[in-house]
Each structure stands twice: as C-alpha cells, then as structure tokens.
C-alpha cells in the first residue's frame, strides 16, 4: 500500500518531545524523516529517564519511530556543507531549538531560501513574537502560560498541570498540520514558507473553552455549570472547575465499588439532558423525572451537588465496568477511569494499532502508542527508532559522498 506522504523528505532537526512528536507523525504517514543529531551524544532524551543502562530510553524510542538517524556536527564548516546538501534535497526542515539557534548556526530563513526556495521551515518555539519570544520553554511552562494550569485543579487548591503533554505533543500535532498545509500550498505557489507553532498558542487553542468561559463570566458574573454555583462567589477570572464538564452537559467523577483501595475505581458520569429519565430510573429516583426541582436542565443546575451525591451512592455499588455496562444500555454517557496498566493491557487498543509492541535490538520488546490518526489508504507500520547515527553512511552515500570521503569526515568528527 502506498503512503500519504510518499516522496516527502523531512530534515528532522528536532529534539526532546515537541518536535519529535511532529516528525514521528509525518514518518507514520510515509515521509522519509532524516533525524540529524550530534555525534557521541545525540538527542538528549536518548539518555534521559533510562530504565536499562546504556540503552536508548523509552522517552526517546517512543518519540522517534520510523526515522533514520544521521550524526552531523553542523557547527563545523564541513558539517555545514553536508547540511546544505540535505537542505537542497529535502522538502521540509523541522526544528525546535531554542530561539535563534538555527540563525547562530548560519542557517537563517534567507540562507535556506537561497539554497532551496521550495523548502518549508517549520519551528516549535515556546512563545510567539512578544515579550517572551527569546525564552526556552518546556512542557509545564507552556501549560502554565497557555491557560491550562490556572483552569485545572480544584478551587481550593493551587494551579495544576495535566499529565497529557499538551504543551509538547499538543504543539507537535499543531506543527504537523501546519506542515501539511504548507506542502499543499506549495503545490500551487511552488514556494516554501515558514511555519511556526508556539507552545503557548497551542495550549491556549486546546483551552479555547476556558476563554469562552472568561467572557461568559464577564457578561453574567456567574457560570451555573461550575461547582462554585450556587453557593460560592465568582471572582473576575475563570476559576478551577475540578472535574466538572467543560461543556453544556453536567458531569462529574464518581466513586465506584473498590474506591477505598483502588485509586482508579471511579467513573465519569454525564447527566445528559436527553437521558435524564433513564438516569433517574437507574438510580431509583423516578420521582425526579417530574419533580420541578429536577425535571429541567436549568432547574438541575441549582442541585448538581446533591444529584451527583445520589448518583454516586449508586455507582459505589458497582465496579466501574459493571456501571459502564448498565449505563450504556440506557445510552447514558459515561467513561471508566482507566489506569495506564489497564490501557496497556486493553486488547481493543492493540487490535487497532493504537498500542503497539515494538522490538528493539538493544532494548528488546516494549510497548508504544502507535499512530492515533487512521487513514484508510495509508496504513501505519510502526518500526523501531534508529540507533544513534545508524543511517549516517546510507544518507551520506545518497548525497553523493564516496566511502573515502565518509571515512575522512568521520576521522574529523564531522559525522
Ligand atoms: N551540531 C552542532 N550543534 C548542534 C547540533 C548539531 N547537530 N544540534 C544542536 N546544536 C546546538 C544548537 O545549535 C545550540 O547551540 P547554540 O546555543 O550555540 O546556538 C545548542 O546545540 C543547544 O540547543 P538548544 O538551546 O535548543 O538546546 P537546550 O538543551 O539548551 O534547550 C530547549 C532545550 C527544549 C529548552 C530549547 O531547545 C527550546 O526552548 N526549544 C524550543 C521550545 C521547545 O521545543 N520546547 C519543548 C521541548 S520538549 O519538552
């Protein structure tokens, strides 16, 4: 089967998490991704959070599947020559260096355009133009600056970061979409362009509903689906809403049987308006179907706390999967709180390729998350991440270097 991005060559100058997530996705769609790393050390994540001594970490392997690895010192003149050749033969350069690093290396946008006017230069930066544009940024900084931390957690606790890597992997996703759009536009213009995904902007994009709520708060002074309503005071900024639903259908995380010993014996329960009568029947409160205090979504907003407390009395009599089975029969939207252990063992996720087992020459078998985006005409085969410099000779030969020239460059520590 052909792949969606067959024939697209990516010069992958990314490291750590945000950039590599982007280029891994492009590789899964069929692009030839050539990862450029410094000889001897490579991407810092190869050595971070290691579980096996001297073996590429899971941090690295899980972000760099389906790529080729080339070692190259791009600060040495001969390394720059190799990089120039790569720029001339690739379609996209993806980088997430600290601001200005590519320019300091001598590869400004203008220089890259001189070498290859069709080249798309795609960058992740912490911030877009403005007061913080020169700052180095990691995941949690982006979560904090993008509005996620101030709106996550409980009202009586501090701001919280989430486990989902919305700053890094979330920005990588945004960048990948920008690259695909630029490749598409290049079909008609014949020109490359710059693509920028700032981590603050990407997090904010994912927190869009909270900017919605900020404006609703300013308009009305109150948000009736928030846990602060009706008893507590609202300030002038969107407060943290605990586990309340971010949409128009009230929801909450409720204990299930076994919660005393199992930290994940919980279910997310949504009291969708359309299935309110079914909710009442399931929990044995049929009088609530017609009771004025509960009969309409607007009336229920005044009583969400006692309503969820009563539903929880019911969920605590079932384990989360029993509760799911019963609630799904009535089309009541709900979801079990799944631990990573449960997810790793879930056969349905294995069957769809969302969880994949990969074999690695020095690490052995490990699990990874496969391509979450499924294309019917471009299937994804997840192959292991490259060892450091595994494809240096192969790529150098493709660029026209002879065996002797390659050996000489190795001698001089250029590759
Ligand atoms: N050959 C020679 N030099 C190389 C090279 C190569 N193949 N690859 C990288 N370098 C050099 C860079 O040119 C840079 O040199 P200068 O500082 O002299 O210009 C140097 O290595 C370090 O690059 P860096 O500043 O990007 O790396 P860092 O570890 O200090 O910072 C990070 C890491 C992530 C904070 C920074 O890259 C950054 O802010 N990136 C943008 C935001 C981002 O992507 N953050 C998410 C990271 S994932 O959590």
């Amino acid at each position: 089967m052909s792949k969606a991005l067959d024939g697209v060559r990516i010069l992958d100058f990314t490291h750590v998490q945000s950039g590599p997530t982007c280029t891994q996705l492009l590789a899964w769609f069929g692009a030839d991704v050539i990862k450029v790393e410094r000889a001897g050390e490579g991407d810092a994540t190869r050595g971070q959070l290691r579980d096996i001594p001297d073996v590429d970490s899971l941090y690295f392997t899980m972000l760099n599947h389906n790529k080729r690895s080339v070692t190259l010192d791009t600060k040495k003149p001969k390394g720059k020559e190799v990089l120039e050749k790569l720029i001339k033969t690739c379609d996209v350069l993806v980088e997430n260096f600290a601001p200005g690093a590519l320019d300091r290396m001598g590869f400004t946008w203008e220089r890259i355009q001189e070498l290859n006017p069709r080249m798309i230069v795609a960058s992740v930066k912490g911030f877009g133009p403005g007061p913080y544009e020169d700052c180095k940024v990691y995941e949690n900084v982006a979560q904090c600056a993008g509005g996620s931390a101030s709106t996550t957690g409980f009202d009586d606790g501090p701001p919280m970061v989430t486990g989902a890597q919305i700053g890094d992997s979330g920005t990588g996703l945004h960048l990948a979409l920008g690259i695909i759009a630029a490749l598409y536009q290049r079909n008609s213009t014949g020109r490359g362009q710059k693509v920028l995904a700032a981590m603050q902007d990407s997090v904010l994009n994912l927190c869009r509903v909270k900017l919605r709520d900020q404006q609703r708060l300013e308009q009305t002074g109150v948000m009736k689906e928030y846990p602060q309503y009706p008893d507590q005071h609202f300030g002038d900024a969107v407060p943290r809403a605990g586990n309340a639903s971010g949409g128009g259908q009230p929801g909450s995380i409720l204990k299930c049987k076994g919660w005393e010993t199992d930290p994940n014996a919980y279910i997310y329960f949504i009291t969708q308006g359309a299935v309110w009568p079914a909710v009442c029947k399931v929990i044995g409160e049929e009088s609530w179907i017609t009771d004025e205090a509960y009969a309409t979504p607007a009336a229920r907003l005044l009583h969400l706390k006692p309503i969820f407390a009563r539903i929880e009395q019911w969920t605590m009599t079932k384990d989360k999967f029993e509760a799911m089975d019963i609630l799904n029969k009535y089309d009541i939207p709900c979801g079990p709180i799944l631990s990573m252990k449960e997810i790793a063992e879930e056969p349905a996720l294995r069957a769809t390729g969302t969880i994949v087992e990969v074999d690695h020459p020095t690490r052995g078998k490990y699990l990874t998350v496969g391509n979450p985006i499924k294309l019917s005409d471009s299937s994804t085969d997840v192959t292991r991440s490259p060892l450091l410099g595994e494809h240096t000779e192969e790529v150098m030969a493709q660029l026209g270097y002879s065996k002797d020239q390659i050996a000489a460059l190795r001698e001089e520590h250029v590759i």
Side-chain angles (χ1 to χ4, degrees), residues 94-322:
V94 191
E95 62 93 19
N96 67 313
F97 291 128
L102 206 55
D103 292 354
R104 286 193 291 279
M105 219 182 264
F107 291 89
T108 59
W109 163 246
E110 292 73 21
R111 176 72 188 125
I112 294 170
Q113 285 292 285
E114 254 169 45
L115 294 165
N116 180 359
R118 286 174 60 79
M119 172 144 273
I120 291 156
V121 178
S123 305
V124 168
K125 293 288 165 263
F127 293 92
Y132 304 120
E133 65 186 304
D134 292 329
C135 298
K136 286 187 176 181
V137 169
Y138 283 105
E139 171 69 47
N140 289 343
V141 175
Q143 288 198 25
C144 293
S148 178
S150 70
T151 53
T152 302
F154 290 92
D155 201 19
D156 57 357
M160 278 273 200
V161 294
T162 76
Q165 303 286 283
I166 56 177
D168 280 339
S169 292
T171 307
L173 261 168
H174 282 82
L175 191 72
L177 181 57
I179 290 170
I180 301 297
L183 280 168
Y184 187 77
Q185 193 174 10
R186 194 180 70 171
N187 289 336
S188 55
T189 64
R191 284 197 313 275
Q193 61 181 298
K194 287 187 272 187
V195 179
L196 171 66
M199 295 169 74
Q200 181 185 39
D201 301 7
S202 300
V203 171
L204 177 58
N205 184 35
L206 299 174
C207 291
R208 173 175 296 266
V209 297
K210 297 297 178 181
L211 183 57
R212 172 201 68 192
D213 289 350
Q214 178 63 35
Q215 294 171 89
R216 290 172 59 223
L217 181 64
E218 285 166 16
Q219 192 71 26
T220 63
V222 70
M223 284 178 299
K224 294 182 177 172
E225 77 285 14
Y226 272 53
Q228 288 80 359
Y229 181 78
D231 313 320
Q232 287 156 259
H233 171 73
F234 283 87
D236 60 2
V238 175
R240 294 185 265 288
N243 291 316
S245 154
Q249 307 289 348
S252 192
I253 287 186
L254 306 178
K255 292 171 183 155
C256 290
K257 198 160 122 193
W259 66 274
E260 299 90 337
T261 51
D262 176 356
N264 295 303
Y266 289 83
I267 192 165
Y268 201 92
F269 194 110
I270 299 176
T271 54
Q272 188 206 19
V275 293
W276 178 245
V279 172
C280 297
K281 275 185 204 145
V282 167
I283 63 170
E285 294 289 353
E286 296 199 24
S287 66
W288 284 5
I289 299 173
T290 49
D291 186 328
E292 270 183 21
Y294 301 99
T296 64
R300 289 197 287 279
L301 289 174
L302 274 165
H303 309 290
L304 288 181
K305 273 188 204 121
I307 287 172
F308 281 119
R310 175 64 191 93
I311 298 172
E312 191 171 58
Q313 282 177 0
W314 179 82
T315 56
M316 281 165 70
T317 66
K318 311 275 178 277
D319 75 37
K320 62 190 176 190
F321 298 111
E322 283 167 356

